[in-house]
């Protein structure tokens, strides 16, 4: 079990490093080759869109999803970590909504139609599903009026939807094409390589998160569960 814990923390550190690199790369890309940022319905406002979506919908969301897998949290009351989990996801949702506002404002300013690409369809569906998931989680797991039977029924659905939303987030980021949205990506060879490497980092981050979520040895034990991993407090 010690080796399993060490292996988890190795993957967790890798996840944090890849997430940080994703944010740094997407920010640098838009500063170095696309002119930087503004909030004036110009091309520079559009540049906020990839930064906010990658930061919120991929990196923050992915880290929130694996929060319960951290062994350090197993010996503590789960209610405290539910609040941290909800706060991280709310931050992720707010950044995602701001990212959508950036692109919609840009479209309005340049009289560009909205929602005409597969990328936009997948992205909108993901954020709508994410919003419903967060509200359902708030009612089901943080509301003191929520019955225990409803929580038990909701838990596997919540976990499945959470993973589905993360996969859709990755698909949305990777479905951007050259003609998906202005301003067009330049034919600069170095920029193209940089953008491709950003895509590779997003894929790597996603695979590490999904790997952590799919490993049952790193799942938080339930209260009363026979396990040598941890002694949990009696808390749902």
């Amino acid at each position: 079990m010690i080796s399993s814990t060490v292996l988890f923390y190795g993957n967790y550190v890798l996840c944090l490093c890849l997430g940080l690199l994703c944010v740094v790369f997407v920010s640098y890309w838009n500063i170095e080759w696309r002119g930087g940022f503004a909030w004036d319905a110009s091309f520079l406002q559009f540049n906020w869109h990839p930064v906010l979506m990658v930061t919120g919908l991929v990196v923050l969301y992915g880290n929130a999803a694996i929060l319960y897998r951290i062994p350090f949290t197993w010996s503590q009351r789960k209610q405290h970590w539910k609040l941290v989990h909800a706060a991280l996801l709310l931050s992720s949702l707010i950044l995602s909504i701001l990212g959508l506002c950036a692109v919609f404002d840009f479209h309005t300013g340049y009289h560009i139609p909205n929602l005409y690409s597969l990328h936009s369809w997948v992205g909108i569906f993901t954020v709508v599903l994410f919003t419903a998931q967060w509200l359902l989680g708030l009612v089901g797991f943080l509301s003191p009026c929520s019955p225990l039977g409803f929580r038990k029924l909701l838990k596997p659905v919540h976990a499945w939807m959470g993973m589905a939303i993360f996969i859709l987030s990755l698909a949305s980021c990777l479905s951007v094409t050259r003609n998906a949205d202005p301003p067009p990506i330049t034919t600069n060879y170095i920029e193209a390589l940089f953008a491709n490497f950003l895509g590779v980092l997003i894929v790597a981050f996603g695979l590490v998160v999904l790997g952590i979520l799919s490993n049952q040895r790193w799942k938080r034990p339930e209260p009363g569960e026979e396990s040598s991993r941890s002694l949990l407090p009696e808390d749902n």
Side-chain angles (χ1 to χ4, degrees):
M1 186 49 60
I2 293 178
S3 61
S4 178
T5 302
V6 171
L7 183 60
F8 169 83
Y9 278 112
N11 279 270
Y12 184 61
V13 170
L14 178 61
C15 176
L16 294 176
C17 292
L18 287 171
L20 179 61
L21 284 174
C22 286
V23 175
V24 170
F25 268 61
V26 72
S27 300
Y28 184 80
W29 175 36
N30 284 278
I31 292 170
E32 178 67 19
W33 286 288
R34 313 197 85 187
F37 306 99
W39 200 273
D40 55 4
S42 69
F43 288 108
L44 299 184
Q45 178 169 335
F46 176 85
N47 292 344
W48 280 113
H49 177 68
V51 173
L52 292 172
M53 302 309 275
V54 169
T55 303
L57 206 53
V58 174
V59 177
L60 265 181
Y61 188 98
N63 279 282
I66 63 175
L67 182 68
Y68 293 133
R69 302 302 175 109
I70 304 175
F72 168 75
T73 68
W74 294 351
S75 61
Q76 303 177 33
R77 293 183 65 85
K78 192 175 182 180
Q79 186 65 25
H80 300 157
W81 293 102
K82 284 182 181 180
L83 295 172
V84 176
H85 178 70
L88 285 174
L89 289 175
L90 180 59
S91 300
S92 169
L93 182 58
I94 290 172
L95 291 181
S96 303
I97 292 173
L98 287 174
L100 292 180
C101 290
V103 71
F104 281 126
D105 283 354
F106 166 73
H107 283 180
T108 300
Y110 282 80
H111 306 290
I112 299 170
N114 292 308
L115 304 176
Y116 61 87
S117 65
L118 177 62
H119 166 72
S120 61
W121 288 15
V122 175
I124 285 291
F125 178 73
T126 303
V127 173
V128 170
L129 193 62
F130 182 11
T131 303
Q133 164 86 334
W134 191 86
L135 292 174
L136 191 59
L138 179 67
V139 173
F141 298 113
L142 289 179
S143 171
C145 302
S146 177
L148 183 59
F150 176 67
R151 295 187 183 193
K152 289 183 177 179
L153 182 66
L154 178 62
K155 187 174 180 179
V157 178
H158 186 76
W160 180 86
M161 283 183 62
M163 189 173 293
I165 291 167
F166 182 66
I167 294 172
L168 286 170
S169 301
L170 297 173
S172 179
C173 286
L174 298 173
S175 66
V176 180
T177 63
R178 178 176 296 276
N179 296 318
D181 225 333
I185 297 175
T186 72
T187 55
N188 184 301
Y189 181 70
I190 301 300
E191 179 188 359
L193 290 180
F194 193 90
N196 288 344
F197 195 70
L198 169 61
V200 171
L201 286 173
I202 291 173
V203 170
F205 175 80
L207 289 176
V208 173
V209 170
L210 293 174
I212 291 174
L213 291 175
S214 63
N215 193 323
Q216 294 302 308
R217 292 178 302 169
W218 298 335
K219 183 178 180 181
R220 178 187 173 97
E222 296 296 332
E225 178 183 332
E226 291 294 331
S227 173
S228 61
R229 292 179 293 179
S230 175
L231 182 60
L232 294 179
E234 293 298 325
D235 181 13
N236 290 319

